[in-house]
Amino acid sequence: MEAVPLEHILLLGAVLFSLGILAVISKRHAVVVLMGIELIFNAANLNLVAFSRYDPSLLQGQMFSLFVIVVAAAEAAVALAIVLRVYQYFKTANLNEIVSPENK
C-alpha cells in the first residue's frame, strides 16, 4: 500500500485549520465557536503526526498529539459547562446577545 504524500496531509491540515478559523471568526453561536476551536486542534494534531512519520524511532509527534487530545477533551467539557451556565443566566447562546449586567 502506498503512503499518502506529506503535501496532501499538510493541505488537509491547512483546510481544517482554515475552516476552524472561519468558524471562530464568523459564527456567533457559542457551540459553533467551540467546534471551530476543536477543528483548529485537530489540524495541529494532523500536522504533528504527519511530521513525526519522518522520525519513526521517536514517538514525539504522536505523544504530543495524544496530550493535545486529552487537553482538548477537558477543555470541551469545561467550555460546554460554561456555555450551559451562560445559557441558563442569559437565556441565549448567541455571543452577540450576551451583555454584562452593568450594561443593561
Side-chain angles (χ1 to χ4, degrees):
M1 187 169 176
E2 206 173 302
V4 179
L6 180 64
E7 294 83 18
H8 294 265
I9 297 172
L10 294 180
L11 182 64
L12 178 62
V15 168
L16 284 176
F17 186 81
S18 300
L19 289 174
I21 291 291
L22 181 67
V24 168
I25 292 173
S26 66
K27 302 299 181 185
R28 294 297 163 227
H29 196 274
V31 176
V32 177
V33 170
L34 291 175
M35 288 174 20
I37 293 170
E38 292 298 324
L39 276 176
I40 293 169
F41 284 152
N42 288 332
N45 285 339
L46 184 64
N47 287 340
L48 285 170
V49 172
F51 283 123
S52 70
R53 183 174 66 172
Y54 290 100
D55 193 6
S57 64
L58 299 175
L59 295 175
Q60 293 173 346
Q62 285 91 344
M63 294 306 293
F64 193 68
S65 291
L66 183 63
F67 179 73
V68 170
I69 289 170
V70 169
V71 170
E75 171 261 336
V78 170
L80 285 175
I82 291 170
V83 167
L84 286 174
R85 179 57 86 182
V86 166
Y87 181 77
Q88 288 175 348
Y89 185 77
F90 292 106
K91 303 296 186 229
T92 185
N94 190 344
L95 298 177
N96 288 337
E97 297 175 8
I98 297 174
V99 294
S100 67
E102 298 92 30
N103 293 339
K104 282 187 174 181

